[in-house]
Amino acid sequence: MEESRLCQWSVIRSVLAILQWWGFNVTVIIMNKWIFQKMDFKFPLTVSCIHFICSAIGAYVVIKVLKLKPLIVVDPEDRWRRIFPMSFVFCINIVLGNVSLRYIPVSFMQTIKSFTPATTVILQWLVWSKHFDLRIWASLIPIVGGILLTSITELSFNVFGFCAALFGCLATSTKTILAESLLHGYKFDSINTVYYMAPFATMILAVPALLLEGPGIVGWLQTDPPLLSSFFIIFGSGVLAFCLNFSIFYVIHSTTAVTFNVAGNLKVAVAVTCSWLIFRNPISMMNAVGCAITLIGCTFYGYVRHMLSQQPPGTPRTPRTPRKSMEFVPLVNDKLEDKV
């Protein structure tokens, strides 16, 4: 009886964690789109910088003040040699995501972000000469096909927004791959990652945001927008962006890898539906089919990767099997890919 009760509580905790993650993720995406489209605050660098500031403060409070997570100590030299390059890529990733939100609908942007597994595998194959099981390559076919179908049939297609989202996938993949080599020996969780990376990202982004968008912000303020509500929404999105990172950490420790993968793809579907209900961006039938194919492909990719990672080390080799067992797993920990 006690074991059954613990099992039920574990399931309930996992469901609540996933719902919390979905809520923060979808809310941040919708708020960012609202800032760019409804408030006419078309300054993605500034919005990203505010997010990093809020995340840095939030991580400091969680680790240093509330002591909810222990601090992972990193040598000062490693902070510049290892974490700074990742912070730079992390910064580019977030900025490109916000730039794409300015120009294309949430549904299209989220579908393109699902291309990240393909870009990661391709980058590791081209740059790092890693080999993957044929089943990994086969799982990428519906992802690529769905993206192509969605792009061709997208009624609100914008070249600049599409390129920003696509390069954002490359930045996400690069960040994940760099984590394997740069953070070797440091078992980072999402909160410690934000604790070290957000201050660097703020430092990198502050000057470009001030120089490139400062005059535009002054002009926007002169249009007499409702300053109090605008301030609340913009900084509120930054606070929720930090909460999203915290919720990712909670979900990772409450679910399995397969559950996380499936929940992540369902989260995209929830974000697409919510954005359509709020912004009413036109979606054709073939566009919806392309999005569905992409999400099914991502789920299949996650399943294949999980099955290969569970294969025992002594499994006999076949002509289709990579030579090294480490090559079964294309990513170190792509559970942490979904930061906003």
Side-chain angles (χ1 to χ4, degrees):
M1 179 66 70
E2 185 67 24
E3 184 177 347
S4 175
R5 190 172 301 172
L6 289 175
C7 183
Q8 290 177 354
W9 168 242
S10 177
V11 172
I12 293 173
R13 187 179 64 177
S14 299
V15 171
L16 291 177
I18 291 172
L19 291 176
Q20 181 189 59
W21 172 44
W22 282 4
F24 283 130
N25 190 277
V26 173
T27 304
V28 169
I29 293 171
I30 297 299
M31 287 183 72
N32 287 351
K33 186 63 177 177
W34 187 276
I35 290 168
F36 296 133
Q37 183 172 321
K38 299 295 184 180
M39 291 171 48
D40 202 35
F41 190 83
K42 302 184 182 299
F43 309 106
L45 296 181
T46 302
V47 172
S48 300
C49 193
I50 291 173
H51 282 197
F52 288 133
I53 292 172
C54 293
S55 295
I57 295 173
Y60 180 86
V61 171
V62 169
I63 293 176
K64 292 288 191 177
V65 179
L66 301 178
K67 300 186 183 301
L68 297 177
K69 283 293 296 179
L71 176 66
I72 298 175
V73 179
V74 179
D75 294 334
E77 181 183 351
D78 281 349
R79 296 184 188 184
W80 288 98
R81 186 167 57 92
R82 297 186 178 194
I83 296 179
F84 182 80
M86 284 190 60
S87 301
F88 184 76
V89 179
F90 179 57
C91 184
I92 293 175
N93 176 36
I94 300 300
V95 170
L96 288 174
N98 283 331
V99 169
S100 65
L101 272 179
R102 176 183 169 183
Y103 292 100
I104 60 177
V106 172
S107 56
F108 191 31
M109 178 261 197
Q110 286 287 290
T111 304
I112 297 173
K113 280 193 67 176
S114 300
F115 192 59
T116 301
T119 58
T120 304
V121 171
I122 293 170
L123 275 176
Q124 288 185 314
W125 176 61
L126 289 176
V127 180
W128 282 270
S129 300
K130 286 198 172 184
H131 300 282
F132 299 100
D133 190 280
L134 287 180
R135 284 167 286 184
I136 289 290
W137 291 108
S139 69
L140 300 181
I141 295 175
I143 298 177
V144 175
I147 294 290
L148 290 175
L149 181 60
T150 304
S151 302
I152 293 172
T153 59
E154 175 59 45
L155 301 177
S156 304
F157 185 86
N158 179 280
V159 175
F160 189 73
F162 172 78
C163 290
L166 190 60
F167 281 108
C169 291
L170 291 172
T172 301
S173 300
T174 304
K175 178 195 69 178
T176 307
I177 294 170
L178 283 176
E180 182 174 4
S181 57
L182 295 180
L183 296 182
H184 180 70
Y186 292 105
K187 296 183 179 180
F188 270 54
D189 54 62
S190 60
I191 299 301
N192 274 276
T193 300
V194 173
Y195 179 85
Y196 284 108
M197 294 176 68
F200 275 133
T202 302
M203 180 181 66
I204 294 168
L205 200 56
V207 174
L210 183 63
L211 294 178
L212 297 176
E213 297 181 347
I217 294 175
V218 172
W220 179 80
L221 291 173
Q222 291 174 349
T223 61
D224 295 325
L227 291 180
L228 186 60
S229 60
S230 299
F231 178 87
F232 178 79
I233 292 174
I234 293 173
F235 277 89
S237 69
V239 173
L240 289 174
F242 165 73
C243 293
L244 171 61
N245 286 289
F246 195 80
S247 68
I248 290 173
F249 159 75
Y250 186 49
V251 171
I252 287 172
H253 285 77
S254 301
T255 63
T256 64
V258 174
T259 301
F260 186 91
N261 179 265
V262 174
N265 295 322
L266 289 175
K267 179 264 301 176
V268 174
V270 173
V272 169
T273 303
C274 292
S275 69
W276 180 81
L277 291 173
I278 295 173
F279 300 104
R280 294 292 179 178
N281 54 286
I283 300 177
S284 66
M285 179 59 68
M286 292 305 295
N287 189 264
V289 171
C291 180
I293 292 174
T294 301
L295 296 182
I296 292 173
C298 289
T299 303
F300 179 53
Y301 164 83
Y303 173 75
V304 170
R305 188 174 61 81
H306 175 72
M307 293 301 294
L308 291 175
S309 68
Q310 296 299 309
Q311 208 163 2
T315 301
R317 292 198 194 107
T318 67
R320 294 186 177 184
T321 305
R323 294 182 178 180
K324 297 179 181 179
S325 60
M326 286 299 294
E327 293 172 352
F328 281 133
V329 187
L331 300 181
V332 178
N333 187 4
D334 54 2
K335 282 185 173 187
L336 297 178
E337 270 182 10
D338 203 23
K339 296 183 181 68
V340 170

